[in-house]
Amino acid sequence: NADMDKDGWSPNQGDCNDCDPNVNPGAIDVLHPNDGGTPTWGDEDCDGKPGDSGEPCDQGLALTDVTAGDAAKALELCTTATMSDRRYGVISAAYVRANGAAFATPNLQVGIQSGWGANVKVQGGQNMIAMSSGYARSVGQTGACNGISCQINPTGTPPPGFPQDDPACPPTPAIADDVALELQVRVPTNAAGYTFNLKFYSFEFPDWVCDTHGYNDQFVALVSPPPTGSYVPAGSTFGNISFDSNMHPVSVNLGFFDVCDPSTPQRFATKCKATTGAVCPALPSPYCPLGLGDMAGTGFDVWHTTVGPAGATRWLVTQAPAQAGSVITIRFAIWDAGNAQFDSTVLLDNFHWIATGGTVAVGTTPAQ
């Protein structure tokens, strides 16, 4: 019954190495380097199965599945837990509105996708989550919007402190068509943080960047309790952990919109008009460096028949610190901003814990 390594678990409670605080039933298995050879899995969770913590669990999920627990599986959050068992994993999962209010069913606003269009692949396992302020469907899928605007909820209530805007652009007056996936999870006892991949598409890009009406659809990842400490950049507020180096939340004003038509720079920010306190942004250089490849077959390439293809970010990775063994709530939310027109979609995948030691800083950067 002695807990010699002070990790909260004794041998009689399942700790298979009471000399190492990173090994106990509340830990996650870690892939260890092997002097330049093939890395090997540890059995940090003491279940006698090295590496089983990293096995995918999202096989066979259906596009139309609206079970929030299956959405967690599509994100590679495979382990479940309870408030009392002290093991890591998903304690609860629910689809909610952006402010956390109950949502009867998200229907077409969410989808479990095995790919996105012709060229976008999953980043972990066999599936990923798509959430949309319109319909989370691509060209040819049942229920696809087949247009730039499919309204679901004409009004919405944003989370406290949102929507956040680029200070140089007009403010956003309201939100609509909001949907969120909220997960309550216990952090492994040997984890210092976590990461996940995201990719954001919007019909507002490139024409409506910094527009005069404040149309600025957004995706946020809100964490409670919010991360604190020196690894949280100044300006990071209200628990959002997905933003660029200028502290812009994921929106058409984000600094990573690299998937678009490089032959149409004349479209960039055409709806912007410099006013008091607002400055129209300069054309990015390079403009649309990734071209249209990740647009093919998504609908964002062909549904805006008036002006042409929309835009998207490259795959991004968000990371944040977490207190080992604590319980956190993460709400992944997307909404239309300013009105219920010009829909946006976010892809989410490849959530995994960082259990290799060191300090984890909050931030979003291009995936390697």
Side-chain angles (χ1 to χ4, degrees):
N1 289 318
D3 179 14
M4 302 302 294
D5 55 12
K6 308 301 181 185
D7 62 0
W9 299 80
S10 70
N12 279 349
Q13 294 172 321
D15 193 338
C16 57
N17 184 346
D18 207 25
C19 294
D20 187 345
N22 291 313
V23 178
N24 56 65
I28 188 172
D29 290 350
V30 176
L31 190 62
H32 298 272
N34 190 18
D35 293 332
T38 303
T40 57
W41 282 100
D43 182 25
E44 279 77 9
D45 63 2
C46 295
D47 67 354
K49 302 174 183 178
D52 63 320
S53 301
E55 293 178 354
C57 59
D58 60 353
Q59 304 93 331
L61 299 178
L63 168 66
T64 55
D65 189 333
V66 292
T67 302
D70 288 341
K73 293 178 181 178
L75 284 172
E76 283 64 62
L77 278 166
C78 297
T79 305
T80 58
T82 68
M83 287 300 293
S84 60
D85 65 9
R86 296 193 296 146
R87 298 179 185 273
Y88 80 91
V90 178
I91 297 171
S92 65
Y95 283 114
V96 296
R97 301 293 295 270
N99 67 341
F103 202 165
T105 175
N107 292 324
L108 289 169
Q109 283 191 267
V110 303
I112 296 180
Q113 296 279 358
S114 59
W116 185 246
N119 299 318
V120 178
K121 311 301 181 185
V122 298
Q123 302 297 289
Q126 295 185 7
N127 288 288
M128 59 187 169
I129 288 294
M131 297 199 310
S132 180
S133 62
Y135 296 164
R137 302 291 187 269
S138 58
V139 173
Q141 291 183 327
T142 301
C145 182
N146 296 316
I148 64 173
S149 303
C150 281
Q151 183 172 303
I152 309 295
N153 295 296
T155 59
T157 302
F162 292 92
Q164 290 183 351
D165 298 291
D166 184 336
C169 300
T172 298
I175 73 168
D177 290 341
D178 54 302
V179 64
L181 173 65
E182 185 169 280
L183 304 175
Q184 185 182 47
V185 295
R186 180 176 287 109
V187 181
T189 57
N190 58 338
Y194 53 92
T195 75
F196 61 88
N197 290 86
L198 69 99
K199 191 171 176 65
F200 185 78
Y201 287 74
S202 182
F203 283 111
E204 293 181 341
F205 192 90
D207 311 84
W208 296 87
V209 173
C210 203
D211 76 284
T212 55
H213 301 286
Y215 300 156
N216 186 26
D217 295 359
Q218 293 181 6
F219 163 79
V220 295
L222 304 178
V223 180
S224 178
T228 60
S230 59
Y231 35 71
V232 179
S236 173
T237 56
F238 303 103
N240 181 35
I241 59 172
S242 290
F243 47 80
D244 65 13
S245 60
N246 292 318
M247 309 310 300
H248 299 157
V250 178
S251 69
V252 295
N253 294 327
L254 190 73
F256 302 116
F257 258 84
D258 298 323
V259 179
C260 49
D261 187 352
S263 69
T264 59
Q266 71 277 5
R267 288 179 54 194
F268 183 77
T270 54
K271 304 297 183 180
C272 177
K273 181 179 180 181
T275 59
T276 302
V279 179
C280 291
L283 182 73
S285 180
Y287 180 64
C288 305
L290 299 187
L292 289 169
D294 285 0
M295 286 287 173
T298 66
F300 289 87
D301 54 336
V302 295
W303 289 342
H304 203 334
T305 57
T306 303
V307 297
T313 69
R314 60 179 66 214
W315 274 109
L316 305 172
V317 58
T318 288
Q319 69 172 30
Q323 182 179 349
S326 67
V327 175
I328 61 174
T329 299
I330 307 174
R331 188 188 311 154
F332 304 100
I334 187 172
W335 57 73
D336 277 332
N339 60 15
Q341 308 300 310
F342 292 84
D343 296 335
S344 299
T345 296
V346 66
L347 308 178
L348 300 170
D349 200 19
N350 198 33
F351 186 106
H352 63 272
W353 299 104
I354 301 173
T356 53
T359 299
V360 179
V362 176
T364 299
T365 57
Q368 298 299 319

